[in-house]
Amino acid sequence: MPNMTPKKAAMPTQPPEERRHNFREVALGYSAETAMEEATRCLNCRHKPCVSGCPVHIEIPRFIEQVKDGDFGKAYEIISRTSSLPAVCGRVCPQENQCEARCVRGKNGEPVGIGRLERFVADWHNAQEEVKPEKPVSNGHKVAVIGSGPSGLTCAGDLAKMGYEVTVFEALHLAGGVLVYGIPEFRLPKSIVQKEVETIQALGVKIETNMVIGRVLSIDELMDEQGFEAVFIGSGAGLPRFMNIKGENLCGVYSANEFLTRTNLMKAYREESATPIMHAKRVAVVGGGNVAMDAARSALRLGASEVTVVYRRSEEELPARAEEVSHAKQEGVVFRMLSNPVEILGDENEFVTGMKIQQMELGEPDASGRRRPVPVEGSEYVIDVDAVIMAIGTSPNPLLKFTTKGLETKSWGGIVADESGQTSREGVFAGGDAVTGAATVILAMGEGKTAAAAIDEYIKNKSK
Amino acid sequence: MYRILKKKVLNPTVTLMEVEAPLIAAKAQPGQFIILRADKDGERIPLTISGCDKERGSVRIIFQLVGATTKQLGMLNEGDMIPDFVGPLGNPTPIDGLKKVCVVGGGVGCAIALPVAEKLHENGCEVHTIAGFRNKDLVILEDEFKACSDKYILMTDDGSAGEKGVVTMPLEKLIGSGENYDMVIAIGPLIMMKFVVKTTKPHGVPTTVSMNPIMIDGTGMCGGCRLTVGGKTRFACVDGPDFDGFEVDFDEAMKRGAMYRDFERHAYEKSCHLLNKEVE
Ligand SMILES: Cc1cc2nc3c(=O)[nH]c(=O)nc-3n(C[C@H](O)[C@H](O)[C@H](O)COP(=O)(O)OP(=O)(O)OC[C@H]3O[C@@H](n4cnc5c(N)ncnc54)[C@H](O)[C@@H]3O)c2cc1C
Ligand SMILES: Cc1cc2nc3c(=O)[nH]c(=O)nc-3n(C[C@H](O)[C@H](O)[C@H](O)COP(=O)(O)OP(=O)(O)OC[C@H]3O[C@@H](n4cnc5c(N)ncnc54)[C@H](O)[C@@H]3O)c2cc1C
Ligand code: SF4
Ligand code: SF4
Ligand code: FES
């Protein structure tokens, strides 16, 4: 008899008052008992609507059934057949728009906590005795992967399992992409990312950090001189956008990437860190996505007394994960909706003192189907802040486009690739944010997987 | 890991190192830079490639000891390892086709200017170098510049070496006396570059300046290095570091610098260690 409680088993969390002052993980994870209990809420639907909501089609009811029976090892095996980063995705997937959005239990109450169960299984697995995967036998073919974010790591891992000799080239000094430089410790502990990276290394994948492809070596050199038969580009969408409003270059205005990189990658939140960060008191964060939530909550943890998220549409349209928005609110982040910054104000030393905001109202729907915010005449007002963080989006870095012969990109910078990841250049594949623009971890991972299969096929056909 | 092959203390505050990095040495061109971390938990700092030896596979850096990271780096010795060393970053200084150039270097900026002067010389360009320092003890690379310059003018603030005064004095004189430079390339403290531009602009002599705002990634990812050039926001690490001196908003770049210095002075270090001091 299924468990018909309308609500998900609660996720234990650090109390908001405590966590807003530290960088430790907010959500603490299910215990085995809670996981098994939550698993009994799954109806094991025959048509499995949840599975079609998951971009990589994890066999959700099958793994949940194993959790219910307490066979967590088996559950892990089922998940890892299609997902290579379950400990990450279980934490950061926007489940409410994906698997859980389709769960039948959601029609009458809350959906099954699929993400939470996935996280539990992955964490359980990671806590078990280390069984290093065996290094597969090499098939003698070399593939290069550019970028060590979720798309690159997944592509590299899959190819290594097929016997390819894979080298990942990463521009920064640490592998992980956004998982290490963007998403903060309190949402995704870096030890988890490290573990994923080590697992992939154990498969024989070489990771070369400090390698900016397009500068140190070009894709042409990798293929023509270094003997790589195929290249996967998973270079992400790291170029920050600014609003181009007055005052944006004042001291105290950061891109979210700079603010988060200083905090996460360079560990500026730790006392002993060599990297500086401004510990502002009143911070405005412009934008409404996950990036904005991460920046706002990081600013709080760095000691801000007042953090305001300024977003030009209405609350329903906030693109951030629901859980992040509610966590941010619990921690005291203030939300100003339908508000558009028009100018950043500074003092005589050009230091940020405030932000002028224009009130918006909802007009006709725009191309995205959302009602377009239009300015309300004469509604400008000023809020006092001493730092502003711009989290209004990023686009792919043009470096690879400029340095690779015959690599086509779209007008906004995204690399042109078909559904298998094949680009306009033979032997060169691409996926993740570099192709789609800023998206999600699970989509990037899925594209890395698809491209790995396509690369395998490409090399096999070529050597026939 | 990148091995330090050679270390030479040039003066009490400036040190030269040759670092084993064959891939970078093979590619680097004058004007490009590297980013390094002096220890595995350290800060990322940019330093210009001051020269490279393709045969040995080594890259030369010359740096001034100004703060935590450069001091830490200065404590490393020959044979020691630098954990992270990435490059070549940024764009090479555009020097193709130049026939007559005046290179103006200020302080440790001379280390950055040297490979540019050398490359110009190699291309058969007539090179005049004006090098400015605060005093005699801080003079670096005199012989190296003399070797690649058709004219070398040394200036010190106090006259303890070369002529007394700032670099714009001989520059004004040279331009005034009819030296028709295709380009003036100025590398040094912001204030120096600003005044170089003030000198060259009335004469319409095209002027390239090398900007050095605070950087983190050096790949265009953080936007921390942004400047206003020609009214537009540009990222020094990917669009520069060299820009058309007539277009750069030096006042903005300097105010940002001065603001950080103010923070430092008011002992704000605890809450804000974003101290900014020009490279001089
Ligand atoms: C702050 C923040 C929070 C987010 N929160 C979530 C969330 O909660 N849930 C979710 O699903 N998604 C979230 N995302 C989005 C998600 O992280 C990205 O969609 C995903 O990481 C994209 O993966 P990727 O592999 O395409 O690229 P990335 O993760 O961006 O990795 C690209 C890597 O390539 C490297 N690189 C770039 N150019 C070069 C080059 N020329 N040579 C060598 N290396 C290069 C970069 O340094 C980087 O390490 C968030 C993003 C950010 C920034
Ligand atoms: C493209 C570029 C090329 C450079 N080339 C040289 C060079 O060849 N030789 C040389 O001596 N210096 C060079 N610099 C300056 C050098 O990067 C700084 O002196 C160094 O970062 C100081 O670090 P610190 O920890 O020792 O000092 P800190 O005490 O941290 O800072 C001292 C001052 O250095 C500057 N600075 C600090 N961190 C950074 C950073 N991450 N990026 C840029 N500037 C920073 C600030 O103005 C600061 O006030 C260059 C800078 C840039 C941007
Ligand atoms: S990977 Fe994401 S979408 Fe798929 S089941 Fe897990 S949480 Fe849901
Ligand atoms: S839709 Fe929900 S209840 Fe049905 S199988 Fe999937 S998770 Fe279980
Ligand atoms: S240093 Fe980060 S964008 Fe230039």
Side-chain angles (χ1 to χ4, degrees):
Chain A
M1 187 56 208
N3 163 357
M4 292 314 286
T5 345
K7 282 194 171 300
K8 288 183 199 176
M11 175 62 110
T13 52
Q14 261 197 78
E17 254 324 297
E18 213 169 279
R19 71 186 191 230
R20 59 172 283 178
H21 301 295
N22 68 53
F23 274 84
R24 290 195 302 276
E25 194 171 15
V26 167
L28 303 171
Y30 280 168
S31 64
E33 294 70 43
T34 316
M36 287 164 77
E37 168 81 18
E38 177 64 16
T40 61
R41 291 185 62 230
C42 174
L43 305 175
N44 208 343
C45 312
R46 214 144 37 96
H47 58 303
K48 305 180 278 195
C50 49
V51 176
S52 60
C54 169
V56 297
H57 306 301
I58 291 178
E59 284 286 345
I60 295 165
R62 289 199 44 219
F63 98 74
I64 293 183
E65 195 171 17
Q66 299 302 329
V67 176
K68 190 174 74 187
D69 296 344
D71 192 346
F72 308 138
K74 195 76 178 289
Y76 182 78
E77 201 194 300
I78 294 167
I79 296 173
S80 63
R81 258 177 238 158
T82 43
S83 167
S84 24
L85 304 168
V88 177
C89 294
R91 286 176 166 79
V92 305
C93 253
Q95 290 102 5
E96 70 269 24
N97 306 324
Q98 299 183 346
C99 51
E100 295 182 17
R102 310 267 179 102
C103 172
V104 294
R105 292 298 306 264
K107 291 200 182 99
N108 218 328
E110 288 182 357
V112 174
I114 302 169
R116 293 172 180 183
L117 290 173
E118 181 178 340
R119 167 187 165 155
F120 166 78
V121 172
D123 287 357
W124 177 88
H125 172 83
N126 284 346
Q128 300 311 298
E129 198 70 50
E130 197 80 29
V131 204
K132 282 268 179 247
E134 246 172 74
K135 200 177 145 185
V137 182
S138 163
N139 65 13
H141 296 285
K142 278 171 71 180
V143 179
V145 169
I146 302 173
S148 61
S151 68
L153 289 179
T154 304
C155 185
D158 277 21
L159 285 167
K161 284 183 202 152
M162 298 178 218
Y164 288 92
E165 287 178 21
V166 187
T167 307
V168 176
F169 295 98
E170 167 56 49
L172 294 171
H173 58 262
L174 202 63
V178 168
L179 308 183
V180 293
Y181 80 71
I183 304 180
E185 179 79 16
F186 59 81
R187 208 148 70 74
L188 178 64
K190 298 306 152 233
S191 56
I192 290 173
V193 183
Q194 191 49 39
K195 185 117 187 168
E196 301 293 355
V197 171
E198 280 163 15
T199 307
I200 285 162
Q201 282 172 315
L203 290 167
V205 172
K206 276 195 239 128
I207 298 187
E208 294 211 28
T209 51
N210 296 319
M211 293 292 275
V212 184
I213 300 304
R215 294 280 191 209
V216 196
L217 290 171
S218 66
I219 289 183
D220 296 289
E221 285 168 319
L222 290 176
M223 300 184 80
D224 301 342
E225 293 165 24
Q226 309 254 331
F228 290 101
E229 292 169 63
V231 172
F232 174 77
I233 305 176
S235 53
L239 195 75
R241 262 183 234 136
F242 287 93
M243 292 188 80
N244 298 318
I245 56 174
K246 200 159 165 250
E248 218 168 11
N249 289 351
L250 290 168
C251 176
V253 184
Y254 288 94
S255 76
N257 268 5
E258 180 182 358
F259 192 76
L260 291 169
T261 300
R262 281 181 183 278
T263 315
N264 301 321
L265 181 69
M266 306 309 297
K267 309 275 174 255
Y269 65 88
R270 292 192 193 148
E271 274 290 327
E272 75 275 12
S273 170
T275 296
I277 186 102
M278 233 181 75
H279 296 251
K281 284 293 156 215
R282 283 170 305 186
V283 180
V285 179
V286 182
N290 287 320
V291 184
M293 298 308 128
D294 285 344
R297 298 172 69 198
S298 296
L300 267 184
R301 285 161 171 76
L302 288 168
S305 47
E306 211 179 290
V307 178
T308 310
V309 167
V310 178
Y311 181 58
R312 65 193 185 102
R313 296 179 186 264
S314 64
E315 172 138 11
E316 288 133 57
E317 283 138 336
L318 275 175
R321 297 180 64 215
E323 180 175 282
E324 307 315 327
V325 176
S326 92
H327 279 164
K329 284 186 176 161
Q330 290 163 9
E331 289 164 13
V333 173
V334 176
F335 287 75
R336 278 181 194 268
M337 294 299 130
L338 288 166
S339 301
N340 195 36
V342 288
E343 184 182 344
I344 300 165
L345 309 167
D347 62 15
E348 65 284 5
N349 293 322
E350 305 255 323
F351 208 87
V352 172
T353 56
M355 188 160 79
K356 191 186 277 179
I357 295 176
Q358 184 167 46
Q359 201 59 50
M360 310 292 272
E361 61 189 8
L362 290 178
E364 297 298 310
D366 64 11
S368 69
R370 300 180 293 184
R371 289 179 67 193
R372 196 158 59 100
V374 287
V376 178
E377 282 310 318
S379 62
E380 284 110 344
Y381 62 98
V382 170
I383 60 169
D384 294 339
V385 290
D386 45 23
V388 174
I389 301 169
M390 290 291 171
I392 54 168
T394 52
S395 52
N397 192 311
L399 180 60
L400 288 169
K401 170 184 130 180
F402 290 145
T403 55
T404 311
K405 273 185 267 156
L407 185 69
E408 279 173 32
T409 55
K410 306 207 174 106
S411 59
W412 51 270
I415 296 173
V416 176
D418 69 14
E419 55 301 346
S420 75
Q422 172 69 55
T423 67
S424 56
R425 175 75 193 270
E426 196 196 321
V428 179
F429 297 75
D433 285 5
V435 169
T436 56
T440 59
V441 172
I442 186 76
L443 283 173
M445 199 194 89
E447 295 200 339
K449 266 191 142 12
T450 311
I455 289 171
D456 178 45
E457 203 177 294
Y458 165 76
I459 291 180
K460 276 191 186 141
N461 284 337
K462 203 177 57 139
S463 32
K464 256 185 212 150
Chain B
M1 299 288 249
Y2 304 79
R3 187 184 304 278
I4 299 170
L5 300 176
K6 182 176 159 193
K7 175 179 174 182
K8 193 172 155 199
V9 175
L10 298 185
N11 74 32
T13 64
V14 178
T15 299
L16 174 152
M17 275 180 184
E18 278 175 27
V19 181
E20 186 171 39
L23 289 173
I24 303 177
K27 273 285 168 66
Q29 294 182 58
Q32 291 187 298
F33 62 94
I34 55 95
I35 284 190
L36 61 75
R37 294 201 308 159
D39 87 10
K40 66 173 193 8
D41 295 315
E43 187 181 10
R44 295 170 65 97
I45 64 157
L47 294 172
T48 303
I49 298 168
S50 168
C52 35
D53 184 333
K54 291 195 183 11
E55 254 113 72
R56 278 182 95 191
S58 69
V59 169
R60 183 175 69 199
I61 50 174
I62 297 180
F63 55 94
Q64 187 166 33
L65 308 173
V66 291
T69 309
T70 44
K71 285 203 177 119
Q72 207 175 20
L73 184 63
M75 277 171 357
L76 298 179
N77 289 308
E78 282 173 16
D80 287 349
M81 295 289 192
I82 296 177
D84 298 294
F85 197 83
V86 53
L89 300 170
N91 300 309
T93 307
I95 53 176
D96 279 353
L98 298 178
K99 297 273 174 285
K100 185 167 176 175
V101 171
C102 186
V103 176
V104 184
V108 79
C110 289
I112 308 177
L114 180 63
V116 179
E118 284 174 340
K119 183 77 183 181
L120 285 164
H121 180 67
E122 198 186 303
N123 289 357
C125 172
E126 183 178 343
V127 179
H128 295 179
T129 297
I130 305 174
F133 300 91
R134 280 207 303 274
N135 60 52
K136 167 168 141 285
D137 296 335
L138 301 178
V139 175
I140 54 169
L141 304 172
E142 191 170 355
D143 295 338
E144 286 83 348
F145 271 113
K146 281 183 176 158
C148 66
S149 308
D150 299 276
K151 195 176 269 182
Y152 173 78
I153 301 171
L154 175 63
M155 303 295 295
T156 49
D157 291 358
D158 61 358
S160 54
E163 291 169 45
K164 182 175 158 92
V166 291
V167 291
T168 44
M169 289 159 55
L171 180 62
E172 177 72 57
K173 221 181 281 169
L174 288 168
I175 296 175
S177 72
E179 298 281 9
N180 284 321
Y181 297 120
D182 302 335
M183 179 80 75
V184 168
I185 299 177
I187 306 176
L190 285 173
I191 186 79
M192 181 205 93
M193 295 193 285
K194 179 181 165 169
F195 279 99
V196 166
V197 167
K198 265 210 166 132
T199 309
T200 56
K201 205 169 182 176
H203 299 285
V205 185
T207 305
T208 299
V209 296
S210 176
M211 303 299 288
N212 44 29
I214 293 181
M215 296 186 177
I216 310 179
D217 56 300
T219 65
M221 187 265 275
C222 73
C225 63
R226 66 196 188 277
L227 305 161
T228 303
V229 182
K232 290 209 188 79
T233 293
R234 308 291 298 276
F235 291 0
C237 69
V238 287
D239 301 326
D242 296 316
F243 292 98
D244 177 351
F246 295 174
E247 301 285 333
V248 170
D249 185 340
F250 285 105
D251 289 337
E252 178 188 271
M254 271 188 307
K255 271 182 189 146
R256 282 168 76 103
M259 276 177 302
Y260 296 128
R261 241 194 321 245
D262 216 34
F263 259 88
E264 185 185 8
R265 238 192 338 260
H266 292 94
Y268 262 71
E269 286 95 346
K270 269 243 162 74
S271 58
C272 169
H273 11 221
L274 249 183
L275 322 172
N276 198 349
K277 213 175 74 199
E278 276 148 32
V279 185
E280 39 194 56

